Amino acid sequence: MTTDLHPARLRTRTSASGTGLFRAFWRWHFYAAFLVAPVLLVLAGTGLIYLFRFQLEPLLHADLMEVSAPSADSIRQPYANQLAAVERSFPDATVLSMTEPRSEERSTVFSLALPDESTRDVFVSPYGADVLGSLDPDTTLSGRAVRLHSELMAGVWGERVIELAACWAIVMAITGYYLFFKGRRARARRPRSLRSRHARIGLAGGIGLLFLLVSGLPWTGFWGEQAQRLATGQGSSLWSLDHGAVSDPASTLDESLPHSHASDVPWAQGASPVPRSSRPSGEPGERSIANVDTAVAVAAEAGLRHPMTVALPVAGDGVFSVIGFAFDAPSDERTVHVDQYGGGVVSTYGFEDYPTLAKVVAQGIGLHEGRSLGAWSMAGSTLLCLLVIASCVTGPLMWWQRRPSGSLAAPRGRLPLRGSPALLAGLVALGVLLPFFGLSVLVVLLLDLLVVRRVPWLAARLNAS
């Protein structure tokens, strides 16, 4: 047996044994993809549905959401009459909110809370005050897409899976860029292949994916809640602090309701006083009692945009909380609280009142949902979803084509942490910033050290020897 000590061959063997940074990142990118790709496919697919929900739902529920074009003698009924029709049809329900029609051919939407604590969206023709029907917003196409996008329809465990996948997707994107730029010379010498197309797809969509992941973190159940607690301890908040009175506009189909107002976020409660109506004193009839039409008119005078969403008072001292349309501009988010008796403005709360962090989050959410920059934002978000889907498809196909029989074809490599203090510091910082990622890295490293590398069958198939 001879020993080859030629320096060039030694360098080749060192690279092949997997001690280089490139191969280590390649291995981590490979395994991250196995965890991330299925979840990203779900998120991108449901994200596309959510982006186009206002085009899809009227097609699927035209009998409820669309009304005949008004004739010359058609008279739009007051919202109070439409509300009365809903209350007659659902006497045991509590009407939570009303959303104005988006156009003359659309119905008015009332959100209800039923005695069994479920919600219902009721659609009313604005011209005859006729109840057209109702549906459970969680069972619509976009409602199911929202639930899949947020929790995989699996509650807290689904939230945790998505948060963990998001953390590893960040790592996958970062390592992907490293692999792209470090391997560009080698790719230039090879003919075009699925691998090169996958790399170019990742190059085009990686930055956008990172933005979507980071802007989505405030919604996560663990990271978002911990970040909010930290921000609250510093006198700030990730979310708006307005309580929105005691009503909850609960419809998931409401296009005018900005997410920074969402009252279903449990940590969005601040220390700001809850707006209250002043109960009338003296003899009955001394003060006029306002209604939903009054609230809309008062909010319009205050500068809010149509179509508005009005959260109705559910208590004797509650207020009408009128949320102006701000779907295309988070900086226009504004709520006017109207006294339910006298019809005066009790208080207003808008984007200019948000803490700095909440302003950043609100703008990030607007971009995340493809609504802040009009058609450009919508087109960009759509393209990003398609690029993510393409990347999640070409990656596994590329692996399937290249893998040898009996192996996962995982790249060999270990992170050279001892010789790279900067890499170690970056990994620790990322683990502290993203606790789910940090914990999962420790689990992966321990499994690799204590199980995979000690079991020959696993070591051979995972290229860990």
Side-chain angles (χ1 to χ4, degrees):
M1 183 178 66
T2 60
T3 303
D4 190 347
L5 300 179
H6 192 280
R9 291 188 174 89
L10 281 176
R11 286 194 297 270
T12 301
R13 289 182 180 180
T14 299
S15 176
S17 65
T19 59
L21 194 59
F22 183 88
R23 285 185 173 272
F25 274 22
W26 189 4
R27 186 176 179 89
W28 279 65
H29 184 83
F30 176 84
Y31 282 116
F34 269 91
L35 170 66
V36 166
V39 179
L40 283 186
L41 272 175
V42 172
L43 294 180
T46 54
L48 276 176
I49 294 173
Y50 189 74
L51 281 172
F52 290 95
R53 64 195 181 283
F54 302 127
Q55 290 76 31
L56 293 172
E57 294 299 344
L59 293 176
L60 298 174
H61 305 285
D63 57 326
L64 300 178
M65 298 183 179
E66 296 185 354
V67 297
S68 301
S71 60
D73 56 350
S74 296
I75 300 176
R76 185 183 291 268
Q77 295 293 310
Y79 293 127
N81 291 358
Q82 299 178 49
L83 173 60
V86 172
E87 291 174 334
R88 287 194 298 270
S89 298
F90 296 87
D92 297 327
T94 300
V95 182
L96 301 176
S97 66
M98 182 274 299
T99 298
E100 294 185 292
R102 193 175 187 184
S103 69
E104 291 187 346
E105 290 78 30
R106 294 287 293 272
S107 54
T108 308
V109 184
F110 291 85
S111 178
L112 277 62
L114 301 180
D116 61 0
E117 298 185 354
S118 64
T119 59
R120 201 84 182 165
D121 281 350
V122 180
F123 301 85
V124 179
S125 170
Y127 303 105
D130 301 317
V131 175
L132 303 176
S134 67
L135 56 80
D136 182 347
D138 286 337
T139 62
T140 63
L141 177 64
S142 57
R144 294 184 188 278
V146 169
R147 292 173 61 201
L148 278 170
H149 197 84
S150 60
E151 59 177 38
L152 301 177
M153 291 189 178
V156 174
W157 285 106
E159 289 183 356
R160 298 296 185 262
V161 169
I162 288 179
E163 187 169 349
L164 180 62
C167 294
W168 276 93
I170 292 173
V171 174
M172 186 181 69
I174 293 173
T175 55
Y177 273 113
Y178 179 89
L179 297 174
F180 180 89
F181 289 107
K182 282 292 185 179
R184 63 188 184 279
R185 292 182 179 177
R187 282 195 310 275
R189 296 192 294 266
R190 301 192 188 104
R192 289 290 180 90
S193 63
L194 184 59
R195 181 178 181 180
S196 64
R197 287 192 288 272
H198 175 77
R200 285 171 172 78
I201 290 171
L203 176 68
I207 294 296
L209 174 61
L210 283 171
F211 171 77
L212 291 177
L213 294 169
V214 172
S215 61
L217 282 176
W219 279 322
T220 56
F222 181 81
W223 190 96
E225 185 170 358
Q226 301 309 314
Q228 173 63 11
R229 286 179 179 174
L230 181 62
T232 302
Q234 300 299 316
S236 186
S237 174
L238 298 181
W239 308 94
S240 61
L241 302 177
D242 187 32
H243 287 255
V246 293
S247 300
D248 177 10
S251 174
T252 58
L253 301 180
D254 180 7
E255 64 253 51
S256 66
L257 184 64
H259 275 278
S260 54
H261 281 276
S263 56
D264 59 344
V265 182
W267 54 88
Q269 301 302 313
S272 57
V274 178
R276 301 290 187 188
S277 290
S278 299
R279 291 177 178 271
S281 58
E283 293 297 326
E286 285 189 2
R287 297 183 65 186
S288 62
I289 297 180
N291 60 22
V292 65
D293 296 279
T294 309
V296 170
V298 170
E301 290 179 2
L304 267 63
R305 297 165 56 193
H306 295 278
M308 303 176 193
T309 292
V310 184
L312 306 180
V314 294
D317 58 353
V319 296
F320 291 101
S321 297
V322 188
I323 303 169
F325 183 82
F327 184 79
D328 55 350
S331 58
D332 288 348
E333 292 178 6
R334 193 164 171 238
T335 300
V336 172
H337 300 295
V338 179
D339 189 298
Q340 67 169 301
Y341 300 105
V345 175
V346 178
S347 64
T348 62
Y349 189 84
F351 185 85
E352 66 276 6
D353 302 308
Y354 294 2
T356 301
L357 279 176
K359 291 180 178 179
V360 173
V361 169
Q363 295 288 3
I365 290 172
L367 290 171
H368 185 102
E369 294 186 331
R371 58 184 176 88
S372 289
L373 303 175
W376 288 104
S377 185
M378 185 76 166
S381 295
T382 301
L383 179 60
L384 276 177
C385 288
L386 294 175
L387 287 172
V388 170
I389 292 173
S391 182
C392 291
V393 171
T394 56
L397 285 177
M398 176 183 67
W399 163 75
W400 186 261
Q401 289 180 355
R402 293 166 55 87
R403 72 178 187 91
S405 178
S407 173
L408 282 178
R412 297 178 183 272
R414 296 186 184 183
L415 286 176
L417 297 178
R418 293 182 181 179
S420 304
L423 177 62
L424 178 60
L427 190 62
V428 171
L430 196 60
V432 172
L433 182 63
L434 303 172
F436 271 26
F437 170 72
L439 290 173
S440 62
V441 166
L442 290 177
V443 171
V444 169
L445 291 176
L446 287 174
L447 285 175
D448 185 62
L449 179 65
L450 301 178
V451 179
V452 173
R453 297 184 183 277
R454 297 190 179 190
V455 178
W457 184 87
L458 285 175
R461 280 156 180 77
L462 299 178
N463 280 345
S465 56

